[in-house]
Every structure is written in C-alpha cells, then in structure tokens.
Amino acid sequence: MELLNAARANPTAAQRQLGVDLTAGGRFQLSPRPPLVGNARLIEAARGHSRDMNDLAFFGHRNPRGQMAGERIRTAGYNWLGYSENLAASFSNPHEALRELLIDEGVPDLGHRVSLLGLSEQTAHLDEIGIGIHAGNGPYRKYYSLELATDSEPDPFVTGVVYRDQNGNSVYDPGEGIPGVHVQVGTDGEAITNKAGGYGARAPEAGSYVVTAGGTTLGSTLQAAVQVGRQNVKLDFVVRPAPRMAQASPGRGGVAGANAGANMRVAATRSPARPVSR
C-alpha cells in the first residue's frame, strides 16, 4: 500500500520509475491523489477472494458461486457507495504485481491504472483499500486482490506508517514497520498500528490537529502537526537512530534518537515473466 500511495501522491515520479506514459498520450491528466487507507472489512473481502481463486482454481471477478466484488464486499460488512476491484496473479511479489497493474499492458481501457490512481470521476473518490495476497497450489500459485471503495462516512482519515528507518534510506521498507503503536489524532481519532506499522484514524472535522504516536512498542512519544481538509492526509512517523559517536575508548556505542516526518516511496522492478491481471 505504501508504494501505491506514493504513486498516487506523485504520479509524475511514478511515471519516470515505471518508464511508461501514465497519461496514455493525453487521455488522462496526472494529478496527486489523496492516500488510500486500509480498511479491515475490505481486507477481509480481498483475502477471501484471493484464497478462493487459489482453492477453487479460477481467476476472475466472478467466483464460482456467482458473486461479484460488490456482493463480496457487502458480505464482509462494508456498505459501499462505490468500489473497484483489481486482480493479479503469478507475480512473485507485491511490487511486481502493482507495477504491472499500473502499466496495464494489453488492457484497452487501462482500467487498473484508472482505478488505482483515481484517474476518472468514478474512481477519484475511492478512499479506502483492502489488499489480499494468497500463496498456494492453485494454477497461478500466488493471487492478489485489491479492493478499493468508499462509504457514506464523510470524515477523512489521517493515515500513514510508523517505522524504524533501519537502513537509513529515509523511506519505508518491508520489515521496518512498528506494530502496536497507539496513534491519536486530536482528542477523538485513534488507531493502533497493524503488523506492518500502518494506521488510519478518522479526523472528526476539518482543521489542524496534533497527532501523537506512542506506546511500549515504540519506546518513545512522537508528535506532529497536520492540516486536514475534506480528503485523507498522509503522515508517517519515522524513528531514526542517531549517528554513532566516535569515542576514545573501545566498545562505546552511540545514542539512539527519534523524530517524526512524512516520507513517500515510488519504486518497482520489471517482472521477468508476464503473469496475469484482471
């Protein structure tokens, strides 16, 4: 999700990374889109569909029970006003799957690109996402489902990731997320980071908020100010180790420190094979 949100925030940079004209010769206008926030019910729907595609040996939007994405999302408890489903299979990792969905080679209407980057009036308002990845013994071995949707709740989210920048590259990398961190937006919005360090907390109304991240898994308390309007806002909390200090005596280490900041990442690698997307 971090890669996708980075591409949405800076589609021009994503275009350079992908090496493809995302405007499709001027058909689409590239403009930054707000970040998507993870939703547990959409994740449930996405995981269930990826698992079904593996277990029931099919690949498509309609499952053998005749259910399309809209019905499956409602069954998971998400009362959508609009939705979009994107599927991929056989790619070895999420980076490759996302790359090919954005390039959308062989898809005349470029529907995956339009959906994920919010390039149409119908997809621009989708603000929540569920991603389900299932690896198994099905014909394509690995299945990806991305369910984007929006509901009737008007309040936007403050969303992002809390992570330790272990390699010092100033961007989130898999494995750096800190789970179990309590994130507080003002006095009413709150969330607990998931296993990957991601969070999403609703802001009750437009305005300026102080966002606080803390808890035993973080080991410190971080704060940052954010301005919220009518759309989701991205705010990452980054824990950076302080540079090690040279000492005259051997065996003396440095001092750990932390700070907060906003970071985005756009990176992808070309898939050597041509798996499938739908």
Side-chain angles (χ1 to χ4, degrees):
M1 191 168 73
E2 285 298 295
L3 286 174
L4 175 56
N5 276 336
R8 288 170 62 91
N10 193 341
T12 302
Q15 182 172 249
R16 291 194 299 268
Q17 291 282 343
L18 294 169
V20 65
D21 176 15
L22 292 178
T23 71
R27 286 172 57 187
F28 309 117
Q29 181 178 355
L30 295 185
S31 59
R33 298 299 308 151
L36 299 167
V37 62
N39 178 278
R41 291 170 179 172
L42 293 177
I43 292 171
E44 178 185 342
R47 288 176 174 172
H49 192 58
S50 291
R51 183 175 58 249
D52 278 353
M53 287 191 292
N54 175 80
D55 295 349
L56 303 178
F58 77 98
F59 180 73
H61 297 288
R62 185 184 299 275
N63 66 23
R65 294 182 287 274
Q67 295 174 312
M68 294 292 284
E71 183 178 354
R72 289 185 272 104
I73 291 171
R74 285 199 191 278
T75 298
Y78 188 98
N79 188 28
W80 53 264
L81 294 179
Y83 72 88
S84 175
E85 178 174 72
N86 301 267
L87 307 177
S90 194
F91 295 96
S92 61
N93 60 64
H95 293 192
E96 292 180 358
L98 177 60
R99 176 184 176 86
E100 294 303 318
L101 285 170
L102 292 177
I103 292 175
D104 232 4
E105 183 178 350
V107 180
D109 66 356
L110 300 172
H112 303 110
R113 183 188 304 177
V114 170
S115 168
L116 295 171
L117 296 182
L119 298 179
S120 71
E121 183 178 349
Q122 292 75 25
T123 62
H125 67 290
L126 303 178
D127 57 0
E128 296 185 82
I129 188 172
I131 300 174
I133 304 172
H134 187 87
N137 297 319
Y140 289 111
R141 301 299 188 224
K142 202 163 189 177
Y143 297 83
Y144 301 83
S145 299
L146 290 79
E147 315 288 355
L148 281 68
T150 191
D151 60 14
S152 58
E153 175 58 59
D155 296 331
F157 287 89
V158 176
T159 184
V161 63
V162 182
Y163 69 97
R164 299 187 189 279
D165 188 20
Q166 296 170 340
N167 58 10
N169 66 351
S170 297
V171 294
Y172 169 84
D173 293 300
E176 292 184 336
I178 307 174
V181 176
H182 180 262
V183 179
Q184 184 79 35
V185 178
T187 57
D188 297 323
E190 61 180 344
I192 302 295
T193 58
N194 58 28
K195 291 189 294 184
Y199 76 93
R202 284 199 186 272
E205 59 185 10
S208 298
Y209 291 89
V210 173
V211 183
T212 303
T216 56
T217 59
L218 184 59
S220 60
T221 298
L222 306 178
Q223 285 190 332
V226 66
Q227 184 71 32
V228 179
R230 294 183 297 174
Q231 298 177 321
N232 294 347
V233 176
K234 183 79 154 62
L235 177 66
D236 292 344
F237 287 93
V238 187
V239 179
R240 297 186 178 95
R244 295 182 66 84
M245 301 174 62
Q247 300 288 338
S249 59
R252 298 293 295 274
V255 181
N259 53 53
N263 293 269
M264 293 175 288
R265 182 186 185 194
V266 181
T269 54
R270 184 73 175 174
S271 172
R274 186 68 180 94
V276 294
S277 58
R278 183 168 296 175

